[in-house]
Amino acid sequence: MEAVYNSPLATLNRIPGLRQLLLLAGLALAITAGVTAAFYVREPSYAMLFNNVSQQESGDIMNALNGSDIAHRLDPKSGAILVAADQVHEARLKLAAQGLPRGSGFGLEIMQDNGAFGSSQFMETARYNHALETELARTISTLRPVQAARVHLAVPESTVFLRKRKEPSASVLINLYPGRDLEKAQVASIVHLVASSIPGLDSSRVTVVDQQGRLLNAPGDASALGLSTQQFEYAERIEQSYADRVMSLLGPMLGPDRIRATVTADIDFTEREETREDFDPDNTVVRSEQLAEDRNAGASAAIGGIPGALSNTPPPPVVASNAANPQAGGASESVEAATTGPLNESMRRTRNYEVNRKLSRTRQPTGNIRKLSVAVLVDHKRVIAEDGSTTAEPLAEKEIDEITRLVKEAVGFDEQRGDSVSVSNISFYEKPAEPEIEEPGLLDSPGLVDNLRNVLAGVLLLGLAFAVIRPIMRGLGVGGGAPPAGMLPAGSAPAGYASAPPRASLSFDDKVSVARQLADKNPERVAQIVRTWMQNDD
């Protein structure tokens, strides 16, 4: 038994103050565990704030968040910026007020940050073009289908020489969200947005490409390919318009899910231009008239004239002529008359006529419908029996004829044009009923993990309080003035302390050592112990 109590544990137990030191160390460990559990419970759940940002912007964002009361950290694996899940929107608003993140680069704020006095004109122009590209990219990125955008501008230097002047151009790269696509109207809006932002830039010199390399617009769509694409889109809109008419007309009567309509339009895109000129000879108008008359005395003329055959020649007979005017659209008539006798009279009359002329120019419009083919598919009607069961029955012939008549009226049926309408009645495929979605159980609750973590932390704190801290506090209170159990002989425990069963008899040297220690620390209790020994001797 001497070897048992001379072991290292017994020796450490006899060292003054070691037991209290160990109890204090255990108390410190317990408090540390409790504080760690409390911080673990209070640590919020983090959500991603921004991802795929440059290192410079990431540093600016972290600096901005450091000055706020928003819990944040940086993911060491992906480099994403994480904030408390319930403060994501607040963090984005605060960062947006400071102009963060800046997107793909610096916009017009670069003109304020780099306003060096000694910069050259070339650097100022390049900086301005870069800022303009960034601002356009930001504006385009605000469209819902667009995730990101980049704009490249080719703006030549201005010159006063017309021969050396070059037109600017631009190209836009669009990064769309998965499953999204841009409509033609949205692409056109992007083109006109860029063209309107650059002086002298024509919309035909703007190219838009998506992330897969597809050309979304064709600059200068006057080519045959561009024209055929426009014609196809026009025909598609016409066909969809007629199909919507049929659906809107028959939907309330038959049900929107019990009818399908398809329209095929044969459209004539041939361009015709005709010029025609008509003349009406029966409808003429006098435009101008000239009258000339000469009178000479015949006797005096014969007497006073030179004798001979010429002076005795009678005047020529009356001649009437009607010749056409060589000018287009007109005609002329010349009449000459002469008389003989004592007086020589001659009269000449010229009339110019304006012939009725008609000039017409006709240009036939393109996109005329040459033929319409309409196909309508109608589901069987549903009949509910008395027991609540539903059966499908085909439509009567009269009902199909009525539907056919309504379809013809809706599309503007023209028999002379060769239009055709076909209405078929067939039972539609019914998708089997989907199983009911079960409500999420307790384990699928989104806040279950946080609640369990809080409960476990509370249980851990209570366990530490009752199983560790409380015994340690008791031990500190008891061991401060009384010797360890077994260090005193049986029945010699001081008043107020429970007498522990003796372990074994101690040697004389051990008793003397314990007595000296107790006498140094607490003389009053030593006196009480001595008094107890003396009473036991009696």
Side-chain angles (χ1 to χ4, degrees):
M1 300 302 292
E2 292 287 338
V4 174
Y5 288 97
N6 290 331
S7 63
L9 294 177
T11 304
L12 292 175
N13 197 18
R14 291 196 297 268
I15 298 176
L18 180 61
R19 184 168 178 268
Q20 287 80 0
L21 181 62
L22 294 177
L23 292 176
L24 291 175
L27 179 61
L29 291 176
I31 294 175
T32 303
V35 172
T36 303
F39 275 104
Y40 176 74
V41 172
R42 293 184 59 186
E43 184 179 5
S45 301
Y46 286 92
M48 183 180 298
L49 180 64
F50 293 113
N51 192 14
N52 296 329
V53 295
S54 62
Q55 295 182 357
Q56 181 179 0
E57 279 200 316
S58 179
D60 295 340
I61 293 173
M62 293 298 291
N63 292 333
L65 293 177
N66 289 335
S68 62
D69 56 350
I70 299 176
H72 62 281
R73 63 185 179 90
L74 189 66
D75 190 357
K77 296 182 179 179
S78 62
I81 301 176
L82 306 177
V83 298
D86 56 346
Q87 294 180 319
V88 173
H89 299 289
E90 181 182 357
R92 288 180 177 175
L93 289 177
K94 289 186 177 181
L95 293 175
Q98 302 179 18
L100 295 173
R102 297 185 178 90
S104 59
F106 294 93
L108 293 178
E109 59 269 14
I110 197 176
M111 307 300 295
Q112 302 176 358
D113 298 339
N114 298 325
F117 179 75
S119 60
S120 62
Q121 181 66 27
F122 174 77
M123 291 301 298
E124 290 294 333
T125 304
R127 188 178 295 114
Y128 173 75
N129 290 336
H130 176 69
L132 195 58
E133 292 173 351
T134 305
E135 291 295 333
L136 287 174
R138 291 179 180 177
T139 305
I140 296 173
S141 299
T142 56
L143 298 178
R144 290 186 178 180
V146 180
Q147 183 178 9
R150 295 195 64 182
V151 180
H152 302 280
L153 300 178
V155 182
E157 297 181 359
S158 59
T159 177
V160 296
F161 300 100
L162 295 177
R163 295 182 179 179
K164 296 183 179 181
R165 185 174 300 175
K166 298 180 181 179
E167 296 182 359
S169 60
S171 58
V172 182
L173 177 62
I174 302 296
N175 188 8
L176 302 175
Y177 284 104
R180 299 288 186 89
D181 199 1
L182 285 176
E183 300 178 356
K184 287 294 182 180
Q186 293 175 325
V187 176
S189 64
I190 294 176
V191 170
H192 289 287
L193 173 66
V194 176
S196 302
S197 303
I198 309 300
L201 178 59
D202 190 76
S203 59
S204 61
R205 297 182 62 83
V206 179
T207 305
V208 182
V209 184
D210 64 358
Q211 73 269 24
Q212 297 180 357
R214 296 181 302 175
L215 185 63
L216 301 182
N217 74 318
D221 279 342
S223 60
L225 180 60
L227 186 60
S228 61
T229 303
Q230 294 179 0
Q231 292 175 356
F232 176 77
E233 293 177 354
Y234 175 77
E236 190 177 21
R237 289 197 301 269
I238 292 295
E239 294 171 352
Q240 186 62 38
S241 175
Y242 281 113
D244 293 341
R245 292 183 186 180
V246 176
M247 294 291 294
S248 62
L249 181 63
L250 300 181
M253 181 176 65
L254 302 175
D257 297 332
R258 297 185 54 237
I259 182 173
R260 298 291 183 271
T262 302
V263 179
T264 302
D266 184 7
I267 301 178
D268 184 12
F269 293 101
T270 305
E271 295 184 358
R272 295 183 181 88
E273 186 173 353
E274 179 182 359
T275 303
R276 185 174 182 179
E277 186 175 4
D278 296 332
F279 295 94
D280 187 5
D282 297 332
N283 190 2
T284 59
V285 179
V286 177
R287 186 177 63 180
S288 62
E289 183 178 3
Q290 295 179 357
L291 178 63
E293 183 176 358
D294 295 333
R295 292 182 180 182
N296 294 320
S300 60
I303 296 173
I306 300 173
L310 292 177
S311 60
N312 296 325
T313 302
V318 178
V319 178
S321 64
N322 187 1
N325 191 2
Q327 298 181 356
S332 63
E333 179 181 359
S334 179
V335 179
E336 294 184 359
T339 59
T340 60
L343 294 176
N344 293 327
E345 297 180 0
S346 64
M347 183 179 59
R348 185 173 64 254
R349 178 181 296 175
T350 303
R351 292 180 180 176
N352 294 325
Y353 296 94
E354 188 70 30
V355 180
N356 188 15
R357 178 189 177 196
K358 183 178 181 181
L359 180 63
S360 61
R361 182 178 180 181
T362 305
R363 184 174 183 178
Q364 299 292 338
T366 60
N368 293 329
I369 299 176
R370 289 185 294 196
K371 182 181 178 181
L372 282 179
S373 299
V374 184
V376 180
L377 189 62
V378 182
D379 188 16
H380 285 175
K381 59 183 178 181
R382 299 294 185 267
V383 179
I384 302 176
E386 295 181 356
D387 57 354
S389 60
T390 304
T391 58
E393 295 183 0
L395 299 178
E397 190 69 24
K398 183 178 180 181
E399 294 175 336
I400 296 178
D401 294 341
E402 182 65 19
I403 294 174
T404 303
R405 185 185 66 82
L406 292 176
V407 171
K408 290 182 177 180
E409 294 293 335
V411 301
F413 181 80
D414 189 355
E415 186 176 0
Q416 297 180 356
R417 193 171 56 186
D419 295 350
S420 62
V421 174
S422 176
V423 178
S424 301
N425 178 221
I426 192 172
S427 178
F428 285 4
Y429 169 77
E430 292 186 2
K431 186 177 180 180
E434 297 181 358
E436 296 182 358
I437 301 176
E438 298 181 358
E439 296 183 359
L442 180 61
L443 297 179
D444 298 331
S445 177
L448 178 62
V449 177
D450 294 337
N451 296 331
L452 289 178
R453 186 172 61 180
N454 297 335
V455 172
L456 291 177
V459 172
L460 178 60
L461 291 176
L462 292 176
L464 289 174
F466 286 97
V468 179
I469 298 177
R470 185 178 180 183
I472 289 175
M473 297 300 294
R474 287 183 177 179
L476 289 175
V478 174
M487 298 297 291
L488 298 176
S492 61
Y497 293 90
S499 177
R503 297 179 182 176
S505 60
L506 299 177
S507 63
F508 179 78
D509 295 336
D510 293 337
K511 292 181 179 180
V512 172
S513 176
V514 170
R516 288 177 180 176
Q517 294 177 4
L518 294 176
D520 293 338
K521 293 182 178 180
N522 199 338
E524 296 179 357
R525 293 193 177 185
V526 170
Q528 185 178 1
I529 293 173
V530 173
R531 188 180 300 109
T532 304
W533 286 349
M534 294 176 65
Q535 293 175 358
N536 292 335
D537 291 339
D538 294 339

